[in-house]
Amino acid sequence: MGNCIQGCKDYFSRQKNTNIRLTLPVVCFVWQIAMIILFGVFIRYDEESDTHWVETKAHDNITSDIENDFYFRYPSFQDVHVMIFVGFGFLMTFLKRYSFGAVGFNFLVASFGLQWALLMQGWFHSLDPQTGKIFIGVESLINADFCVAGCLIAYGAVLGKVSPVQLLVMTLFGVTLFAVEEYIILNLLHARDAGGSMVIHTFGGYYGLTISWVLYRPNLNQSKRMQGSVYHSDIFAMIGTLFLWMFWPSFNSAITDHGDGQHRAAINTYLCLASTVLTTVAISSLSQKTGKLDMVHIQNSTLAGGVALGTAAEFMISPYGALIVGFFCGIISTMGYIFISPFLEKTLKIQDTCGIHNLHAMPGVIGGIVGAITAAAASESVYGKQGLINTFDFTGDFKDRTVLTQGGYQAAGMCVSIVFGVVGGAIVGSILRLPIWGDPADENCFDDEVYWELPDEEEEHQESIPPILEYNNHMIHKQQDLSESNFSVEHCES
Amino acid sequence: MGNCIQGCKDYFSRQKNTNIRLTLPVVCFVWQIAMIILFGVFIRYDEESDTHWVETKAHDNITSDIENDFYFRYPSFQDVHVMIFVGFGFLMTFLKRYSFGAVGFNFLVASFGLQWALLMQGWFHSLDPQTGKIFIGVESLINADFCVAGCLIAYGAVLGKVSPVQLLVMTLFGVTLFAVEEYIILNLLHARDAGGSMVIHTFGGYYGLTISWVLYRPNLNQSKRMQGSVYHSDIFAMIGTLFLWMFWPSFNSAITDHGDGQHRAAINTYLCLASTVLTTVAISSLSQKTGKLDMVHIQNSTLAGGVALGTAAEFMISPYGALIVGFFCGIISTMGYIFISPFLEKTLKIQDTCGIHNLHAMPGVIGGIVGAITAAAASESVYGKQGLINTFDFTGDFKDRTVLTQGGYQAAGMCVSIVFGVVGGAIVGSILRLPIWGDPADENCFDDEVYWELPDEEEEHQESIPPILEYNNHMIHKQQDLSESNFSVEHCES
Amino acid sequence: MGNCIQGCKDYFSRQKNTNIRLTLPVVCFVWQIAMIILFGVFIRYDEESDTHWVETKAHDNITSDIENDFYFRYPSFQDVHVMIFVGFGFLMTFLKRYSFGAVGFNFLVASFGLQWALLMQGWFHSLDPQTGKIFIGVESLINADFCVAGCLIAYGAVLGKVSPVQLLVMTLFGVTLFAVEEYIILNLLHARDAGGSMVIHTFGGYYGLTISWVLYRPNLNQSKRMQGSVYHSDIFAMIGTLFLWMFWPSFNSAITDHGDGQHRAAINTYLCLASTVLTTVAISSLSQKTGKLDMVHIQNSTLAGGVALGTAAEFMISPYGALIVGFFCGIISTMGYIFISPFLEKTLKIQDTCGIHNLHAMPGVIGGIVGAITAAAASESVYGKQGLINTFDFTGDFKDRTVLTQGGYQAAGMCVSIVFGVVGGAIVGSILRLPIWGDPADENCFDDEVYWELPDEEEEHQESIPPILEYNNHMIHKQQDLSESNFSVEHCES
């Protein structure tokens, strides 16, 4: 009886907490209307996606439509798009009963964030001073997807512990912070970071980890039964892993220079990731008594190489250099899952559901360092005179910059991304602690039940369960208050 | 004993009804042989896929192989191909026990239809009067995939209620009707519809709905236990949703003009779909007492924006215009699932398994209207003189057409697609009512058992079920005729 | 009691056999370090992916970056990449409890093999005699993926019966053999085989079948309970099937000639595969009493057309020719599953888990024959003078070769690939019989348990199983030694 009352209490407290029927629609509607107004004021097609291109083209002596930037970048854009929606979404389906939330909220957050990203990045990077407009093309779409990636990384740290409204708030501030740090790193410091080791992964990683730290749940073990995977959910997660892994060369080459820049970035990332797989498998196997592999490592650490080559992929790091980066990233990331994640949780009180520290934060920092070293070590003999200028964009205000100075600015850029992640995460985390966002109770974490209408599984079970069990089921419904032993006796006497 | 006899009867009646061992192979073989003969007579490589291109190219002063249409369209073609086979296929796997039929018959129907589409579209659109041949290239493949999409949309309305033979018949006539209405809309009326709001979605939607209406099953609730999803099947369906959603910009831009045309169509569709996701989530959350989300809405309504921008994606609808279209489509489509689908089923006797009315028919009509309005509102100040001519192809016979007239013809095109869908569907539906197609009985709908050899699940259960249950299972097999209570006693006395 | 002792014995023997904690990490680490060293010595960026391209380009009068080979081949490369990792990986997830091994080991083997392939293919095909370096670009990546495909095909024959260490050894030798046979067929014999009917599928198929024959397990029926699929695993496998099917046009056109060559190869493969689906469905339906379809056929035989057009896809086989090839391949491959696979297993003692004989070996041989005939039948009237030279590369040493001679060399190439597969497989199979590789016992085949930490499913079961069963579970844990009947009595008396 006491249990029943407690249960009722739980039921109502839970209802009260997680009802998002008001907040979620309001946020979605208000936001979308705001987007429409702001797009109406600011966003226009750029010259390559405008019908006037027929004249622009003639004016610029472009002889063929194939030189439209669309054909340079659209295939990479679509690959990046798949990484954002299927890659990140399915990677997070590994939990046994949070796949709807993983794929569904990822979908919502990305759709929400990419619109704001187009505006924020536009204001900071490409606002035309004469017209006051932002002109967008396929490269803007890629950048918006990149920006969203930072927020989805942060989602990985708090997966299962926040409400969709909190996610939208996290994304709103995340995109804003992203645009500012990106502006500082790429424009003011003039650091190179085409694949976003710093601006995407380091920032997103520390942003998410700090938020998770602020939202620390000391009683999270109350939902321990929902943590961990089941066989099928691990295979769903592999869909995410593989699409991220396969398309990472497109991610790192999507906005690099036309021609050899995109070509080289793709080759480097391809090689680096292959190397990561081997060392991930090696460390995973070493970590178990009988050498069995752990799916968590295979799903995540195999991707660390792509993260760590985000900055240097477009440089002349050379094929064996790419392999070396992948080699160490596989080791470090897998060791992170084995040793560092438990330490973070127990000692630093950072609960990191997907282990983004091992997949994004650490490899991102490695990527920043690799980028700084590679830049500082660049030379005209390797790059060629013009090649060096093109690769590091030593033009305009920066035409006298040396590679050593560039290395320093790269390192500075990495620090900026960490600072933005940690400070921004602390502030946003505090906002998310307000008791108005409908987040789940500790015992309801990692459970789709809270925010999703789940299909009724009972019928299916009755299908596959033999009659005797159906009978048992039937009895149980009548007698749920009986203790186990009583029930058993009753069962036999009947 | 009575149950057993009844069971036996059911068994045999079911066998008799759904045996497709003769019809399915015959249709497949005859059809495929006919295709080979017709292809032999009519279909040839076009000049860009023929080895003579080396000469053609020189003749046309084309300096680079990259100007072959292949490089303009092949990446989009592959995205469209994924939408047809994985997108449509997996979107329909949501039912708990019809995933084989969803993916498998989708595969069969699409492979069957695309061959016929190449011929039909070839005869109507690109038959060379001199040689009497149809010359195909990558754009033909995209158009064939588009044509098939119309039939797969129709499949969504009758999913689980028809035999594969019926699907092939539906596709045979569907492709034929499609080619005719497409010829009328695009060539005679000279309406623009690159992404197929009218020719694909409106036609396909009403074609399927009318067929479903003709095939109305009053006793469909006999297979109620098989309707609805289970947890895993909903995640499989999300694979379909996401690939459709991500690649829709490729769908709407696949056959638009080279250069800015493809570029703009992709941008518009990308924005429109993002907007749709937010309003879909908002309405879905509003529709439940506690604001929980419904997977049906997330899986389907999020795509409505792509449908509705099929006509206008290549126009200068402007980025905020695309957002507005998406905004309303998300609302209308989700409301459709909540209010209109039950109404259609109860009042109009239209059983629409996948809700194609909300995902294709309504948004398609909206797309037609948006296209008509956008066309009528086009102006030289926005498009530029040459841009306007290029976008609406005001050349040849149509070089004096005004945008207002164009708007009228767009609206007329939409009516044509509805008429073809409804009238064609009524005729084809009547043909499908003949008792020779092997369709399932009412109580066997939505069940893969009928047309597929299903893996034996028993063993798996024995694996995971503890010994006591295996024992129970064992006993059950011996004693299935005993009533439940008897059985229970027997069990305890043994 | 005896059972318990036997169980303990089994347990320890199993532990002893399959412990790969030493071998797997050692192989991975040693190999990856070797790769880094060899890449450092040999591998460099080619001129199109090097920063010096800005000068090369100017020198070669290339006016636009879009003429970089990257833009000709990268979209196809990504499609091929998806086929290798998602296609092959998920196709093999059909077994009820070997999906981790299917996707995971596929991932490991491919990442391992592609690095070695870049070196081996580089040494044989593109070692620069002056510098002693191998220069890689996007085409090298495609070729490396192709080479790996051969080894993944071989994996299909031994799926579930080998350890990951054995797979790595198989791949090490497989890639080596592949590079040699490829050199003989493509360079010495100057046969054409852009989609690899011979060099990839025939070789890979016979290599795997011969290894499986050498590793014959007479007592494999001890793990019969793990063979076969379950409902969900069959749907996962369809993900693999569809991505292979959809992207096969990219596979066969990825390294064909720029322009019409790639265009034509894609069209031919698209048509051929559509035709295969129809005849596969027809034969599958014919093979069952009531015309039900078999998922094994749909998952595999539908792909046979792509294999069989690997050689001829770039030729002027004409659209109806492609349909004819697909027509017969669907029939032959499906018949293979019905009649030949059981024969191979019973009579020839070849246990072929995935039926690669029907999907790769046979269709590969057909592809070689089709290629030889089509080449021999080529004529200037069909190809054009320059077209014939381009298609068969009748330049340099081969400028006087006739099409008839070419047909002969094509046939010779096919024989080379079979010989390399069979002889190589026999040798490598013998190496794999050494008792040091940690392969599973007969009763543990097809079970992920052996090499993977599996998620604890018990909790999930407790979630969904009603209390009475939990109680039963509880009892069972205390009393596992009791015989079933004893237990039952005890249970009822409690």
Side-chain angles (χ1 to χ4, degrees):
Chain A
M1 204 62 173
N3 270 338
C4 178
I5 290 168
Q6 186 56 41
C8 293
K9 265 193 196 162
D10 284 357
Y11 186 75
F12 285 108
S13 72
R14 179 168 143 184
Q15 292 304 97
K16 195 189 64 172
N17 283 338
T18 62
N19 190 329
I20 48 170
R21 198 186 178 187
L22 184 68
T23 45
L24 184 60
V26 166
V27 171
C28 285
F29 273 128
V30 170
W31 188 251
Q32 192 56 57
I33 291 168
M35 287 298 103
I36 290 173
I37 295 169
L38 290 170
F39 269 61
V41 176
F42 288 104
I43 306 266
R44 297 292 177 273
Y45 303 118
D46 72 5
E47 61 177 28
E48 294 184 287
S49 56
D50 192 288
T51 44
H52 288 91
W53 197 54
V54 64
E55 295 146 29
T56 323
K57 197 174 55 171
H59 182 264
D60 295 353
N61 282 323
I62 294 170
T63 53
S64 169
D65 281 324
I66 197 87
E67 296 193 44
N68 192 303
D69 197 36
F70 182 78
Y71 303 102
F72 286 93
R73 306 214 183 273
Y74 190 71
S76 308
F77 160 68
Q78 275 296 5
D79 293 348
V80 171
H81 217 41
V82 172
M83 293 173 73
I84 300 297
F85 290 87
V86 163
F88 280 105
F90 273 86
L91 184 62
M92 298 192 288
T93 58
F94 71 99
L95 287 170
K96 62 180 72 162
R97 208 71 179 176
Y98 207 71
S99 301
F100 285 16
V103 173
F105 295 155
N106 182 79
F107 194 15
L108 171 63
V109 161
S111 302
F112 173 92
L114 63 84
Q115 300 179 52
W116 182 230
L118 281 169
L119 282 163
M120 282 300 300
Q121 292 183 319
W123 285 323
F124 275 99
H125 293 274
S126 57
L127 192 69
D128 184 65
Q130 289 186 331
T131 57
K133 304 292 180 199
I134 299 160
F135 296 98
I136 63 168
V138 65
E139 193 172 339
S140 319
L141 308 190
I142 298 171
N143 275 312
D145 273 19
F146 276 5
C147 183
V148 161
C151 298
L152 298 179
I153 290 165
Y155 179 24
V158 297
L159 180 74
K161 300 176 295 181
V162 293
S163 76
V165 183
Q166 282 178 307
L167 284 175
L168 294 181
V169 174
M170 240 175 91
T171 306
L172 169 60
F173 288 105
V175 168
T176 312
L177 290 162
F178 184 101
V180 178
E181 58 113 29
E182 190 190 34
Y183 178 71
I184 294 172
I185 295 171
L186 301 189
N187 294 42
L188 301 188
L189 300 179
H190 197 73
R192 304 289 285 174
D193 196 18
S197 288
M198 305 183 288
V199 298
I200 300 170
H201 298 287
T202 306
F203 166 75
Y206 285 105
Y207 182 63
L209 290 168
T210 312
I211 290 174
S212 188
W213 175 73
V214 176
L215 300 180
Y216 180 67
R217 289 171 178 267
N219 301 316
L220 193 59
N221 60 359
Q222 288 179 11
S223 58
K224 194 156 188 277
R225 74 192 186 291
M226 303 303 282
Q227 287 179 287
S229 62
V230 290
Y231 194 74
H232 287 117
S233 69
D234 269 328
I235 306 169
F236 278 118
M238 280 304 290
I239 296 175
T241 300
L242 288 176
F243 275 102
L244 287 170
W245 194 91
M246 296 180 304
F247 288 165
W248 217 294
S250 298
F251 194 92
N252 284 350
S253 70
I255 58 164
T256 54
D257 291 340
H258 289 177
D260 62 283
Q262 290 196 280
H263 203 152
R264 188 168 54 252
I267 294 172
N268 286 334
T269 311
Y270 170 92
L271 291 173
C272 181
L273 282 165
S275 172
T276 310
V277 174
L278 267 82
T279 52
T280 297
V281 167
I283 300 292
S284 183
S285 176
L286 268 177
S287 72
Q288 296 285 345
K289 261 188 300 187
T290 59
K292 291 187 184 185
L293 299 174
D294 188 328
M295 257 294 168
V296 172
H297 307 153
I298 307 300
Q299 283 162 5
N300 293 283
S301 297
T302 50
L303 301 167
V307 172
L309 216 64
T311 303
E314 61 177 329
F315 300 162
M316 292 286 284
I317 193 171
S318 83
Y320 77 92
L323 290 183
I324 292 174
V325 173
F327 186 91
F328 287 108
C329 279
I331 296 173
I332 292 167
S333 177
T334 315
M335 293 238 179
Y337 279 96
I338 300 169
F339 300 113
I340 304 178
S341 283
F343 170 81
L344 286 182
E345 177 148 4
K346 271 175 211 141
T347 315
L348 297 187
K349 310 291 182 200
I350 299 175
Q351 291 156 332
D352 178 5
T353 313
C354 295
I356 64 163
H357 183 261
N358 314 306
L359 172 48
H360 295 284
M362 271 200 307
V365 171
I366 294 171
I369 296 169
V370 168
I373 293 171
T374 327
S379 69
E380 262 188 41
S381 66
V382 172
Y383 285 76
K385 190 177 164 65
Q386 191 60 40
L388 196 66
I389 293 171
N390 289 354
T391 304
F392 296 100
D393 195 18
F394 287 156
T395 55
D397 293 348
F398 306 97
K399 72 170 192 288
D400 297 327
R401 190 181 271 192
T402 64
V403 291
L404 264 180
T405 324
Q406 180 67 24
Y409 280 106
Q410 296 282 142
M414 199 189 63
C415 300
V416 170
S417 68
I418 295 174
V419 169
F420 263 81
V422 172
V423 175
I427 297 168
V428 175
S430 308
I431 296 169
L432 295 179
R433 291 196 65 171
L434 297 176
I436 57 172
W437 306 118
D439 48 317
D442 288 344
E443 68 267 30
N444 294 327
C445 284
F446 314 117
D447 192 349
D448 272 334
E449 180 76 51
V450 184
Y451 301 114
W452 296 88
E453 287 291 312
L454 294 188
D456 187 13
E457 307 276 307
E458 239 180 294
E459 276 189 87
E460 193 201 30
H461 278 283
Q462 283 172 6
E463 287 302 300
S464 61
I465 289 175
I468 176 67
L469 302 188
E470 280 195 71
Y471 169 70
N472 287 352
N473 275 339
H474 182 63
M475 296 302 291
I476 291 156
H477 286 125
K478 289 195 195 151
Q479 323 221 12
Q480 281 184 328
D481 288 344
L482 291 166
S483 73
E484 278 181 7
S485 55
N486 282 351
F487 177 75
S488 181
V489 168
E490 207 277 337
H491 168 57
C492 289
E493 284 171 2
S494 74
Chain B
M1 205 61 173
N3 269 338
C4 178
I5 289 169
Q6 186 55 42
C8 292
K9 264 192 195 161
D10 285 356
Y11 186 74
F12 284 110
S13 73
R14 178 168 143 185
Q15 292 305 99
K16 195 187 65 173
N17 284 338
T18 63
N19 190 330
I20 48 170
R21 199 188 178 185
L22 184 67
T23 45
L24 184 60
V26 165
V27 171
C28 287
F29 272 128
V30 169
W31 188 250
Q32 191 55 56
I33 291 166
M35 287 298 104
I36 289 172
I37 294 168
L38 290 170
F39 269 61
V41 176
F42 289 104
I43 306 265
R44 297 291 179 271
Y45 304 117
D46 72 4
E47 62 176 26
E48 294 185 286
S49 56
D50 192 287
T51 44
H52 288 92
W53 197 55
V54 65
E55 294 146 28
T56 324
K57 196 173 57 170
H59 182 264
D60 295 351
N61 281 324
I62 294 170
T63 53
S64 170
D65 282 323
I66 197 86
E67 296 194 44
N68 193 302
D69 197 37
F70 183 77
Y71 303 103
F72 286 92
R73 307 216 183 270
Y74 190 70
S76 307
F77 159 68
Q78 275 295 5
D79 293 349
V80 171
H81 217 40
V82 171
M83 292 173 74
I84 300 298
F85 290 89
V86 162
F88 282 104
F90 273 88
L91 185 61
M92 298 193 287
T93 57
F94 72 99
L95 288 171
K96 63 181 69 163
R97 208 68 177 177
Y98 206 71
S99 303
F100 286 16
V103 173
F105 294 154
N106 183 80
F107 194 15
L108 170 63
V109 161
S111 302
F112 172 91
L114 63 85
Q115 300 178 52
W116 182 229
L118 281 169
L119 281 162
M120 282 300 300
Q121 293 183 319
W123 285 324
F124 275 97
H125 293 276
S126 56
L127 192 70
D128 185 66
Q130 290 187 330
T131 57
K133 304 292 179 198
I134 299 160
F135 296 98
I136 62 168
V138 65
E139 195 172 338
S140 320
L141 308 190
I142 298 172
N143 276 313
D145 273 19
F146 277 3
C147 184
V148 161
C151 298
L152 298 179
I153 290 165
Y155 179 24
V158 298
L159 181 74
K161 300 176 293 181
V162 293
S163 76
V165 182
Q166 283 178 306
L167 284 175
L168 294 180
V169 174
M170 239 174 92
T171 306
L172 169 59
F173 288 104
V175 168
T176 312
L177 290 162
F178 184 100
V180 178
E181 58 113 28
E182 190 191 35
Y183 178 70
I184 295 171
I185 295 172
L186 302 189
N187 294 42
L188 301 188
L189 300 180
H190 197 71
R192 303 289 287 175
D193 196 19
S197 288
M198 305 181 288
V199 298
I200 300 170
H201 298 287
T202 306
F203 165 74
Y206 286 104
Y207 182 63
L209 290 168
T210 313
I211 290 176
S212 187
W213 175 73
V214 176
L215 299 180
Y216 180 67
R217 290 170 177 267
N219 301 316
L220 193 59
N221 60 359
Q222 288 179 10
S223 57
K224 194 157 187 276
R225 73 193 188 289
M226 303 304 281
Q227 286 180 288
S229 62
V230 290
Y231 195 74
H232 286 117
S233 69
D234 269 328
I235 307 170
F236 277 119
M238 280 304 289
I239 296 175
T241 300
L242 288 176
F243 275 102
L244 287 170
W245 194 92
M246 296 181 304
F247 288 165
W248 217 294
S250 297
F251 193 92
N252 283 350
S253 71
I255 57 165
T256 55
D257 290 341
H258 288 177
D260 62 284
Q262 291 197 279
H263 203 152
R264 189 169 53 255
I267 294 172
N268 286 334
T269 311
Y270 170 91
L271 292 173
C272 181
L273 283 165
S275 173
T276 311
V277 174
L278 266 82
T279 51
T280 298
V281 166
I283 300 293
S284 183
S285 176
L286 269 177
S287 73
Q288 296 287 342
K289 260 187 301 185
T290 58
K292 291 186 185 185
L293 299 174
D294 189 327
M295 257 294 169
V296 172
H297 307 154
I298 307 300
Q299 283 160 6
N300 293 282
S301 297
T302 51
L303 301 167
V307 172
L309 216 63
T311 303
E314 62 176 329
F315 300 162
M316 292 286 284
I317 192 172
S318 81
Y320 77 91
L323 290 183
I324 292 172
V325 173
F327 186 90
F328 287 107
C329 279
I331 296 173
I332 292 166
S333 176
T334 315
M335 293 237 179
Y337 279 98
I338 300 169
F339 300 112
I340 303 178
S341 283
F343 170 82
L344 286 181
E345 178 148 6
K346 272 173 213 145
T347 314
L348 298 186
K349 309 291 181 201
I350 299 176
Q351 292 156 331
D352 178 6
T353 313
C354 296
I356 64 163
H357 184 260
N358 314 305
L359 172 49
H360 296 282
M362 271 200 306
V365 172
I366 294 172
I369 296 169
V370 169
I373 294 172
T374 327
S379 69
E380 260 189 44
S381 65
V382 171
Y383 285 75
K385 192 177 163 62
Q386 190 59 41
L388 195 66
I389 293 170
N390 288 355
T391 305
F392 296 99
D393 196 18
F394 288 155
T395 56
D397 293 348
F398 307 97
K399 73 169 188 289
D400 297 325
R401 188 180 273 192
T402 64
V403 292
L404 266 180
T405 324
Q406 179 67 24
Y409 279 106
Q410 295 284 143
M414 200 188 62
C415 300
V416 171
S417 66
I418 295 174
V419 169
F420 263 80
V422 173
V423 175
I427 296 168
V428 175
S430 310
I431 296 170
L432 295 180
R433 289 192 68 169
L434 297 175
I436 57 172
W437 306 118
D439 47 318
D442 288 345
E443 69 268 29
N444 295 328
C445 283
F446 314 116
D447 192 348
D448 273 333
E449 181 75 50
V450 183
Y451 301 114
W452 295 88
E453 287 291 313
L454 294 187
D456 188 12
E457 307 276 304
E458 239 181 292
E459 276 190 87
E460 192 202 30
H461 278 281
Q462 283 172 5
E463 286 303 299
S464 61
I465 289 174
I468 176 68
L469 302 188
E470 279 195 72
Y471 169 71
N472 287 352
N473 275 338
H474 181 65
M475 296 303 291
I476 291 156
H477 285 125
K478 289 196 196 149
Q479 324 222 8
Q480 281 183 329
D481 286 345
L482 293 166
S483 73
E484 278 180 7
S485 56
N486 282 352
F487 179 72
S488 181
V489 168
E490 207 276 339
H491 168 55
C492 289
E493 284 170 2
S494 73
Chain C
M1 205 60 174
N3 269 339
C4 177
I5 289 168
Q6 186 55 42
C8 292
K9 262 192 196 163
D10 284 357
Y11 185 75
F12 286 109
S13 73
R14 175 169 146 185
Q15 292 304 98
K16 197 188 66 173
N17 284 339
T18 63
N19 189 331
I20 49 170
R21 197 186 180 186
L22 184 67
T23 44
L24 184 59
V26 165
V27 171
C28 286
F29 272 128
V30 169
W31 188 252
Q32 193 55 58
I33 291 167
M35 285 299 104
I36 290 172
I37 295 169
L38 290 170
F39 269 60
V41 176
F42 288 103
I43 307 265
R44 297 291 178 272
Y45 303 118
D46 72 5
E47 62 178 27
E48 293 185 287
S49 56
D50 191 289
T51 45
H52 288 91
W53 197 55
V54 63
E55 293 146 29
T56 324
K57 195 174 57 170
H59 182 262
D60 295 352
N61 282 324
I62 295 170
T63 53
S64 169
D65 281 323
I66 197 85
E67 295 193 45
N68 193 302
D69 197 38
F70 182 77
Y71 303 102
F72 285 93
R73 307 215 182 271
Y74 189 71
S76 308
F77 159 68
Q78 275 295 4
D79 293 348
V80 171
H81 216 41
V82 171
M83 293 173 73
I84 301 296
F85 289 88
V86 163
F88 281 105
F90 273 86
L91 185 61
M92 298 191 289
T93 58
F94 72 100
L95 287 172
K96 62 179 71 162
R97 208 68 178 179
Y98 206 70
S99 303
F100 286 16
V103 173
F105 295 153
N106 183 79
F107 194 13
L108 171 63
V109 161
S111 302
F112 173 91
L114 64 85
Q115 300 178 53
W116 183 229
L118 280 170
L119 282 163
M120 282 301 299
Q121 292 184 317
W123 284 324
F124 273 98
H125 293 276
S126 57
L127 193 69
D128 184 66
Q130 289 186 329
T131 57
K133 304 292 180 196
I134 299 161
F135 296 99
I136 62 168
V138 65
E139 195 173 337
S140 320
L141 308 189
I142 297 171
N143 275 313
D145 272 20
F146 277 3
C147 182
V148 162
C151 298
L152 297 179
I153 291 165
Y155 179 24
V158 298
L159 180 74
K161 301 177 292 182
V162 293
S163 76
V165 182
Q166 281 177 308
L167 283 175
L168 294 180
V169 174
M170 241 174 91
T171 307
L172 169 60
F173 288 105
V175 168
T176 312
L177 290 161
F178 183 99
V180 178
E181 58 114 29
E182 189 191 34
Y183 178 71
I184 295 170
I185 295 171
L186 301 190
N187 295 42
L188 300 189
L189 301 179
H190 196 72
R192 304 289 286 174
D193 196 18
S197 287
M198 304 183 286
V199 297
I200 300 171
H201 298 286
T202 306
F203 166 74
Y206 286 104
Y207 182 62
L209 290 167
T210 313
I211 290 175
S212 188
W213 174 73
V214 176
L215 300 181
Y216 180 67
R217 289 169 178 268
N219 301 316
L220 193 59
N221 60 359
Q222 288 180 9
S223 57
K224 193 155 189 276
R225 76 195 186 287
M226 304 304 281
Q227 287 179 288
S229 62
V230 289
Y231 195 73
H232 287 117
S233 68
D234 268 327
I235 307 170
F236 277 118
M238 279 305 288
I239 297 175
T241 300
L242 288 176
F243 275 102
L244 286 170
W245 194 91
M246 296 180 303
F247 287 166
W248 215 294
S250 298
F251 194 93
N252 283 350
S253 70
I255 57 166
T256 53
D257 290 340
H258 288 177
D260 62 284
Q262 290 196 279
H263 203 153
R264 189 169 53 254
I267 294 172
N268 286 335
T269 310
Y270 170 92
L271 292 173
C272 180
L273 282 165
S275 172
T276 310
V277 173
L278 266 80
T279 51
T280 298
V281 166
I283 300 292
S284 183
S285 176
L286 269 177
S287 72
Q288 296 286 342
K289 260 188 300 185
T290 60
K292 291 188 185 185
L293 299 173
D294 189 327
M295 257 294 168
V296 172
H297 307 154
I298 308 299
Q299 283 161 6
N300 294 281
S301 297
T302 51
L303 301 167
V307 172
L309 215 65
T311 302
E314 61 176 329
F315 300 162
M316 293 286 285
I317 192 171
S318 83
Y320 78 92
L323 290 182
I324 292 173
V325 173
F327 186 90
F328 288 106
C329 279
I331 296 173
I332 292 166
S333 176
T334 315
M335 293 238 181
Y337 279 96
I338 300 168
F339 300 112
I340 304 178
S341 283
F343 170 81
L344 286 181
E345 178 148 5
K346 271 174 213 143
T347 314
L348 297 187
K349 310 291 182 200
I350 299 175
Q351 292 155 331
D352 178 6
T353 313
C354 296
I356 64 163
H357 184 261
N358 313 306
L359 172 48
H360 296 282
M362 270 199 307
V365 171
I366 293 170
I369 296 168
V370 169
I373 294 171
T374 327
S379 68
E380 261 188 41
S381 66
V382 172
Y383 285 75
K385 190 177 163 66
Q386 191 59 40
L388 196 66
I389 293 172
N390 288 353
T391 305
F392 295 99
D393 195 19
F394 287 156
T395 56
D397 293 349
F398 307 98
K399 72 170 191 289
D400 297 327
R401 189 179 273 191
T402 65
V403 291
L404 265 180
T405 324
Q406 180 66 25
Y409 279 107
Q410 295 283 142
M414 201 189 61
C415 301
V416 171
S417 67
I418 295 174
V419 169
F420 264 80
V422 173
V423 176
I427 296 168
V428 175
S430 310
I431 296 170
L432 294 179
R433 291 194 66 171
L434 297 176
I436 57 171
W437 306 118
D439 49 317
D442 287 345
E443 68 268 28
N444 296 326
C445 283
F446 314 116
D447 192 349
D448 272 334
E449 180 77 49
V450 183
Y451 301 114
W452 296 88
E453 287 291 314
L454 293 188
D456 188 10
E457 307 276 305
E458 241 182 292
E459 275 190 88
E460 194 201 29
H461 278 282
Q462 283 172 4
E463 288 301 301
S464 62
I465 289 174
I468 176 68
L469 301 188
E470 280 195 71
Y471 168 71
N472 287 353
N473 274 339
H474 181 64
M475 296 302 291
I476 290 155
H477 285 127
K478 289 195 193 149
Q479 322 223 11
Q480 281 184 329
D481 287 344
L482 291 166
S483 74
E484 277 180 7
S485 56
N486 282 352
F487 178 73
S488 182
V489 168
E490 207 277 338
H491 168 56
C492 290
E493 285 171 359
S494 73

